[in-house]
Amino acid sequence: MAGPAPAGSTWMPSRRHPRLSAAWVAAILSLAYGAFIYAKWSNLPLWSDAIGYSYRTASWIAQNGMSPLLTGEGRGSQGMGHPAAYMWLWALLMRVAGDTAAVAHLMPAAFSALAVFSAFLLGRSLGGRTVGAWTAITLALSPLFLSQAAQPLMDVPFAAFAALSLERYARRRFGQAALFCMAAVACRETALLLALVYVFLELSSNGFRNPRRLALFCSPALVMLATALLNLAANGYLVNPDFAGDHLPLAPGWLWTRLRQFAGHLYAGNGRWLLVVTALAAGLTRVSTSRMPVAAVLVLLSPAILYPPGRLLWLAAAGAATLVLLLRKGELPGAPGLALILFPAVMVLFHVFIVLFAPDDTFNLFRYILAAYPALLAGGYSYLRRRGSVRSVHAIGLVLTAMTFASGMHIESAAQPEATQEFLDLPYAEASLLRYAASRGDTLVLPESDMDLALHPAVGYSASPLPARTLREGDMLDPSAAYTVLIPYAEHLLPDWGRLVGSALPASSALDTLVTWRSETLRLTLLRISPRR
């Protein structure tokens, strides 16, 4: 028996306080992140493709008995030929909770939480909790991710499932990796590139010795096969005509321009060059005969002073040199590491060369390669952890995350403002201007592509349909009526809009600027057409 407790002391039985595992903490914080995204942007009006095909398709499905055959006749209501899983789930939410902007933001918030948690799991599998934490934090605060987390499109779900697939692949759970890859393809067909990476790595290491595993890695293609057959049955095409056929002549220098655009964004944009060159420095240090002097490492960090095009060339040269040295030393990473290298590279190359097969060169949005973010971040941080210390990961993570978030506080690219969180002010401003115009009793005159803003309250611009019309060739406005004309931000994409407004303007009417909203490179203008007195 135990003796009595010492005098003057209070005996208490010992208790073990259970500690939450890192995964549970990450899951809770990821859910909190998703809740924050929803609380902040649940009333954000939808924008661009979120209306153009995502909302239109989900709405058509909800109104047509949840049909898996997309036979809608309205522009975009066939999902542009994309796999319809995401839009079908949104349609289900519409049927259950209502067709509102607040409901539209439920899935983006949920998938943003899943993507952040998936990034943590991927980083943890490769380099431990520290790597997982910084992978998740940097992703969560990246401008492109923040802006897409606020819109109901398929890119954030694609990123989430791709990260989960890579994490399972790193743990040699190949069946689960294939299943998550199938889920990614069901969100966006370019996830087939991840399956292609798996097939390539399997063939290069094992050839055809494991046909079952090869079949697993090929299975995501079944999703696209089913999508193509459904499109053929419903609409008479395997691939949407907008994405195939005779393309326009490409501008001189298109190859370098697109390489600089996509590779520059992924590897050098928003401060990510810092992670890439630090990982390259660690790799070169590893393959050198002795530890590299400080001066050599500073040279490796020299892209900081280079203009972005030069920075990209430097990164490409340094990366190629590092891979050659690693190959000569026989220290190339294993299959999981190669998957992390190949997936972002293949994503970039696909979106560079797609214009050789597509009808035009408009496949140029940064969000198309968002799903490669977790692979790049987890790969870079894990390599630093293996070649350095936890402190080095913390230092790079802190600086990189601060740089990447701060870069989204202003619009860097006038051509792609929606790649930053600063852009999210514009839909709010546009909604305010449209409501102001309607309050004056005028009929709104909008480009055809913007008519949904006035006619469908569910997209978030008004509480009820607004009186609006568009203009087509030969249309004339009533000289006795007053109109308010929206000149949208994207007027440079609508070269005929100003001409149509001018040609429809009655000779007896006055044209005045009613109000202009500006934010950095963004501008919205309302013009008022009124009868002369």
Side-chain angles (χ1 to χ4, degrees):
M1 293 180 60
S9 69
T10 303
W11 179 85
M12 291 289 291
S14 63
R15 294 181 180 176
R16 289 190 176 184
H17 296 281
R19 293 174 58 187
L20 288 175
S21 68
W24 275 106
V25 173
I28 292 169
L29 292 177
S30 298
L31 286 172
Y33 176 84
F36 170 79
I37 292 292
Y38 186 77
K40 183 170 179 60
W41 286 308
S42 61
N43 64 340
L44 178 72
L46 308 190
W47 169 260
S48 188
D49 284 345
I51 299 174
Y53 66 83
S54 196
Y55 170 76
R56 290 174 182 172
T57 303
S59 178
W60 184 91
I61 294 171
Q63 295 170 13
N64 289 271
M66 302 300 295
S67 171
L69 293 174
L70 305 182
T71 58
E73 296 182 359
R75 179 170 174 77
S77 62
Q78 296 174 7
M80 302 299 288
H82 293 303
Y86 181 88
M87 293 169 280
W88 195 92
L89 289 174
W90 184 3
L92 184 61
L93 272 178
M94 287 181 182
R95 295 283 292 265
V96 173
D99 186 6
T100 66
V103 170
H105 288 291
L106 284 171
M107 289 211 321
F111 277 114
S112 67
L114 179 61
V116 170
F117 182 60
S118 302
F120 167 80
L121 293 178
L122 176 59
R124 187 187 65 167
S125 293
L126 298 168
R129 290 176 298 179
T130 299
V131 170
W134 279 115
T135 301
I137 292 169
T138 308
L139 177 68
L141 296 181
S142 295
L144 180 63
F145 184 83
L146 279 168
S147 68
Q148 295 309 305
Q151 286 288 345
L153 287 165
M154 297 93 78
D155 303 278
V156 170
F158 175 14
F161 289 125
L164 284 173
S165 180
L166 285 164
E167 192 272 340
R168 293 289 85 189
Y169 184 79
R171 290 185 176 273
R172 299 186 62 80
R173 302 292 192 268
F174 299 127
Q176 295 173 28
L179 186 63
F180 282 124
C181 189
M182 291 181 75
V185 175
C187 294
R188 185 171 278 281
E189 57 271 34
T190 44
L192 282 173
L193 297 173
L194 180 56
L196 181 65
V197 168
Y198 293 155
V199 170
F200 170 79
L201 292 174
E202 178 63 21
L203 289 175
S204 61
S205 60
N206 297 318
F208 293 93
R209 289 191 294 273
N210 195 330
R212 179 179 177 276
R213 190 182 299 169
L214 269 177
L216 278 176
F217 293 148
C218 291
S219 62
L222 296 175
V223 177
M224 269 315 297
L225 178 62
T227 300
L229 292 177
L230 287 173
N231 282 330
L232 182 63
N235 305 302
Y237 59 76
L238 288 169
V239 178
N240 190 293
D242 288 348
F243 299 141
D246 296 331
H247 61 79
L248 300 175
L250 295 171
W254 68 269
L255 178 59
W256 167 240
T257 299
R258 293 182 71 84
L259 273 172
R260 187 173 65 189
Q261 176 182 353
F262 285 109
H265 173 78
L266 185 59
Y267 294 105
N270 304 136
R272 279 181 293 279
W273 64 267
L274 179 64
L275 179 62
V276 174
V277 297
T278 308
L280 289 175
L284 288 175
T285 301
R286 173 69 178 175
V287 297
S288 64
T289 56
S290 61
R291 294 194 65 82
M292 297 184 69
V294 173
V297 175
L298 291 178
V299 170
L300 287 168
L301 296 177
S302 63
I305 63 174
L306 296 177
Y307 187 68
R311 184 180 302 163
L312 182 60
L313 286 172
W314 193 99
L315 289 174
T322 303
L323 286 175
V324 168
L325 289 172
L326 288 172
L327 181 62
R328 292 183 63 184
K329 295 276 287 187
E331 294 191 3
L332 280 177
L338 287 174
L340 295 176
I341 294 171
L342 290 175
F343 178 53
V346 170
M347 287 280 284
V348 167
L349 292 176
F350 175 83
H351 288 98
V352 167
F353 289 103
I354 185 63
V355 291
L356 295 176
F357 309 97
D360 56 49
D361 62 352
T362 58
F363 295 86
N364 56 5
L365 299 179
F366 290 148
R367 65 178 170 85
Y368 295 154
I369 57 173
L370 175 62
Y373 271 30
L376 179 70
L377 295 173
Y381 281 132
S382 65
Y383 196 77
L384 286 180
R385 178 66 186 91
R386 293 181 182 185
R387 301 293 181 240
S389 64
V390 172
R391 289 183 178 180
S392 66
V393 176
H394 283 313
I396 295 297
L398 183 62
V399 175
L400 171 59
T401 302
M403 288 176 66
T404 191
F405 180 76
S407 66
M409 301 300 290
H410 64 92
I411 294 169
E412 293 182 336
S413 171
Q416 295 201 52
E418 66 273 21
T420 64
Q421 68 267 27
E422 179 67 19
F423 168 80
L424 298 178
D425 288 342
L426 186 138
Y428 286 119
E430 196 161 14
S432 178
L433 291 185
L434 292 182
R435 290 193 292 265
Y436 169 69
S439 71
R440 298 175 61 91
D442 297 347
T443 296
L444 289 164
V445 180
L446 306 173
E448 185 174 6
S449 59
D450 287 351
M451 285 295 290
D452 286 315
L453 278 56
L455 301 181
H456 296 287
V459 301
Y461 287 84
S462 64
S464 58
L466 303 176
R469 62 162 297 175
T470 190
L471 293 174
R472 296 182 177 87
E473 203 67 47
D475 285 352
M476 290 295 297
L477 296 173
D478 184 351
S480 63
Y483 300 92
T484 299
V485 181
L486 173 69
I487 307 298
Y489 154 73
E491 66 174 304
H492 63 285
L493 300 177
L494 303 166
D496 291 333
W497 181 237
R499 181 183 60 80
L500 286 175
V501 172
S503 63
L505 185 67
S508 58
S509 296
L511 180 65
D512 303 294
T513 299
L514 188 61
V515 62
T516 297
W517 175 86
R518 294 176 184 271
S519 177
E520 296 194 9
T521 60
L522 304 178
R523 183 179 68 177
L524 296 169
T525 303
L526 287 180
L527 304 177
R528 191 163 196 267
I529 299 174
S530 55
R532 292 186 185 274
R533 298 186 181 277

